[in-house]
Amino acid sequence: MAGNWKMYKTPAETTQFFEKFRPLVERATHCEVVICPAFTSLFAAADAVKGSAIRIGAQNIAWAKEGAFTGEISGPMIQSTGATYTLVGHSERRQYFGETDKTVLDRTKAALSYALTPIVCVGERLEEREAGKTADVLATQIQNGIAPLLPGQFAAIVIAYEPVWAIGTGKTATPEIAADAHRTIRAQVLAAFGEEAAAAVRILYGGSVKPDNVKTLMAQPEIDGVLVGGASLDPVSFASIVNF
Ligand code: PGA
């Protein structure tokens, strides 16, 4: 159960969140819990979860170790904060910051080489769904952004299916639509990495997940977890998602 805080919360607000959130998920041993704050709050977040099972992730990672890449943050820098996860290829990165399947692949490889677990995001836009292209779009994103990984690298990643039309819109994909897309993704994984890898990979659903719809989403055997934006900003709401 992963939270993506996007461009919200200062370090002080981060600390306040965890003071409330930690006790609420103390007994949540049924899943991994990850929160991805802004870079500037990574230290505060990692500090606030010390001694708990909660993990911290970045929202993006540079493909290079260091260099003249103004505005980017590298694997070793993320690692130094205590974070152990990173999102890669979130649709907002693709939409507003020119992220492509190629940069997604490069960033994923960088994460893996610094022992950070990448949560690699894929998903179709509204016009692609309406044109009946969902399966094609997912196939392309996976073939170009994920399939070139080595099998050993693939085994360490998490995939998040986030239909762009469901993000921040209050329009959740129905559990059936989500499960269907997850099956498409698993079929692509099977073609690239084989049966065992397809059965083992964790695929999260993301897009307007809330405390009141998480149960029906998680009831789908195809859905292994959720990636939550808006509803992860409030400790009570995210805790009730974690404890669904
Ligand atoms: P949302 O965002 O839950 O606010 O729709 C999900 C995401 O972008 O990861």
Side-chain angles (χ1 to χ4, degrees), residues 9 28 39 66 70 86 94 101 122 128 139 141 156 177 183 213 242:
K9 292 195 196 292
F39 287 125
E66 58 187 7
T70 303
T86 183
R94 295 178 189 254
D101 291 338
V122 296
E128 294 166 334
Q141 289 176 343
I177 289 179
R183 274 189 288 275
N213 61 24
V242 168

Side-chain angles (χ1 to χ4, degrees), residues 15-16 37 40 43 66 71 86 89 112 129 132 141 146-147 151-152 155 161 170 191 198 200 214 223 242:
T15 305
Q16 276 166 13
T40 44
F43 279 109
E66 58 187 7
T86 183
L112 292 166
R129 170 157 291 271
Q141 289 176 343
I146 294 177
Y161 167 63
V214 62
I223 299 178
V242 168

Side-chain angles (χ1 to χ4, degrees), residues 4 6 90 92 162 166-169 206-210 227-231:
N4 168 17
K6 310 193 180 191
H90 188 277
E92 285 149 18
E162 297 206 309
I167 295 178
T169 57
S208 298
V209 176
K210 307 284 176 219
L227 176 55
V228 186

Side-chain angles (χ1 to χ4, degrees), residues 6-22:
K6 310 193 180 191
M7 202 171 70
Y8 291 98
K9 292 195 196 292
T10 61
E13 290 165 341
T14 299
T15 305
Q16 276 166 13
F17 172 93
F18 282 107
E19 275 166 17
K20 284 209 183 127
F21 181 68
R22 251 185 93 147

